[in-house]
Amino acid sequence: MKGCYARKLGDCSSTLSLGHPLSRGLYPDGALVEVDEAPWLKVGQKVSVPIKSLAQRMLCTHHNSALSYLDSEGIRFSESIMQLYSVQKLRSKLKRSSVWSTKRVTLNGHVLEKYLAKLAIGSLQSVRKDIFFDQGNLISAPPISILNVIFGTETFKQPMGLYAMNMDNSESTREHLIQHRPYIDTDTQVYSGSFVYFHGFQFMLYLSNEDPRGTTFQCQNNSFLNGNFTTKRYRPKAYNFSTKGKRTGRQLNWTT
C-alpha cells in the first residue's frame, strides 16, 4: 500500500495507521521532544515539539500492529536502565558490601536491534524523507533485507547491527533522556545508521553493508569511534553500572 514503508513485504491492509516513531510509553502524556537537523529548520536551530506531533501515517494497520511487541520491548529496555539508576542511587548511600544482592535481568539482543531499527526508521519518516540507504533505497522504502529483519525472524548480519559505545557507566546521576541522531553523509545524503542514547548509555545501530572499520563516527558526546571498534564493540553482552567497585547490570542474549 502506498505510504506504508513495509509495502515491499506485501500483505498490506487497506488503511494507514497513525504511528509514533518513539514509543509513547517511553514518555508521559504531553511530553516535548527536541528536534534538530530537520530540513525545515535553520542550521543549528532546535525546537521542542509535542511527541504526538511526530506521529505519521507510515505503516498500514497490519504492519503497524505486527510491531507492537517491539514497543513493549523498548519500554522494558528503558525501564531496565532506569532501574539500574535506582539501584545505583541506593547503593551510593550504603557502605560497600560483598553481599549486595543482584537482580538478574536478561534482554533479547536481536529484538532490541529490531526495536532500535524501528525507532530509527520511524523517526526519519517524520523529519528526513530525502535521504537514502547505501543500497540506493529512499528512507521511505527501506531495503527488503532490513524489512525482513524488523518484521520477520531474520537477524542482522555483521557489519549491520548494534555497537556499544559506553557499556559501563559510573556516573552518579543521569536525567531521563532518550535521543536519536542519524549518521548521514552530507555530500551523498546516504544514511549509514543511527546513534541512539538511552539514559546515559550510547549505542550505534549500523544499517550499512559497508565495512565500518577505518571509518570515524562522531558520537553524541563529541567523542569518536574508529578503526577496530567492529570486533570490540559489536553486540555487547551486557551494560553495567559501577558503584563502589560493584557492578549492577543487565544481560543481552544474542543466541538465536
Side-chain angles (χ1 to χ4, degrees):
M1 179 183 184
K2 184 178 180 181
C4 174
Y5 73 72
R7 57 189 177 274
K8 292 178 182 178
L9 296 174
D11 201 23
C12 279
S13 57
S14 59
T15 306
L16 289 175
S17 176
L18 190 65
H20 295 267
L22 298 171
S23 305
R24 294 193 66 180
L26 295 175
Y27 292 89
D29 289 340
L32 297 179
V33 179
E34 188 175 82
V35 177
D36 62 2
E37 296 187 11
W40 38 272
L41 293 175
K42 296 178 180 178
V43 176
Q45 182 183 8
K46 297 181 181 181
V47 296
S48 294
V49 299
I51 186 172
K52 63 181 182 181
S53 69
L54 295 180
Q56 297 281 321
R57 297 189 186 278
M58 53 187 150
L59 287 171
C60 68
T61 53
H62 170 70
H63 287 121
N64 190 49
S65 63
L67 298 184
S68 59
Y69 81 101
L70 292 182
D71 291 317
S72 298
E73 189 70 11
I75 292 170
R76 181 170 176 248
F77 171 60
S78 178
E79 290 176 344
S80 75
I81 296 179
M82 297 309 293
Q83 289 167 2
L84 287 179
Y85 281 107
S86 296
V87 171
Q88 188 263 2
K89 185 176 181 180
L90 175 63
R91 287 184 173 180
S92 67
K93 299 176 181 179
L94 301 175
K95 292 182 179 180
R96 178 174 173 174
S97 171
S98 60
V99 293
W100 276 344
S101 61
T102 299
K103 182 180 179 181
R104 298 284 182 182
V105 176
T106 301
L107 300 173
N108 187 307
H110 293 295
V111 175
L112 178 59
E113 282 184 332
K114 292 172 186 279
Y115 169 72
L116 294 178
K118 172 185 179 291
L119 182 155
I121 293 173
S123 297
L124 291 168
Q125 304 296 316
S126 300
V127 295
R128 289 301 305 268
K129 290 186 177 181
D130 59 323
I131 59 176
F132 297 83
F133 289 92
D134 66 346
Q135 298 93 326
N137 304 75
L138 274 169
I139 200 72
S140 58
I144 191 70
S145 58
I146 291 178
L147 293 175
N148 282 336
V149 172
I150 299 174
F151 289 87
T153 58
E154 296 183 21
T155 60
F156 287 118
K157 306 302 180 186
Q158 197 171 4
M160 290 188 180
L162 191 67
Y163 293 81
M165 295 188 184
N166 64 326
M167 302 310 289
D168 197 332
N169 197 333
S170 58
E171 295 186 36
S172 59
T173 59
R174 173 63 61 182
E175 61 182 317
H176 182 100
L177 183 62
I178 300 171
Q179 292 181 325
H180 165 258
R181 186 174 296 276
Y183 179 77
I184 302 168
D185 188 297
T186 55
D187 294 324
T188 63
Q189 295 301 296
V190 169
Y191 166 69
S192 297
S194 290
F195 299 113
V196 185
Y197 180 101
F198 262 79
H199 318 309
F201 290 93
Q202 296 186 75
F203 307 87
M204 182 179 185
L205 181 71
Y206 192 67
L207 295 176
S208 172
N209 287 314
E210 296 293 327
D211 191 334
R213 288 176 294 183
T215 303
T216 298
F217 299 99
Q218 186 171 1
C219 310
Q220 274 296 118
N221 62 356
N222 293 320
S223 63
F224 293 84
L225 291 179
N226 57 27
N228 60 1
F229 79 90
T230 299
T231 55
K232 290 185 177 181
R233 299 176 184 266
Y234 189 63
R235 288 182 172 161
K237 299 296 189 298
Y239 48 100
N240 304 291
F241 265 120
S242 296
T243 306
K244 295 185 177 180
K246 294 291 184 180
R247 280 187 174 184
T248 302
R250 298 294 182 256
Q251 306 301 308
L252 290 175
N253 180 9
W254 295 101
T255 58
T256 55

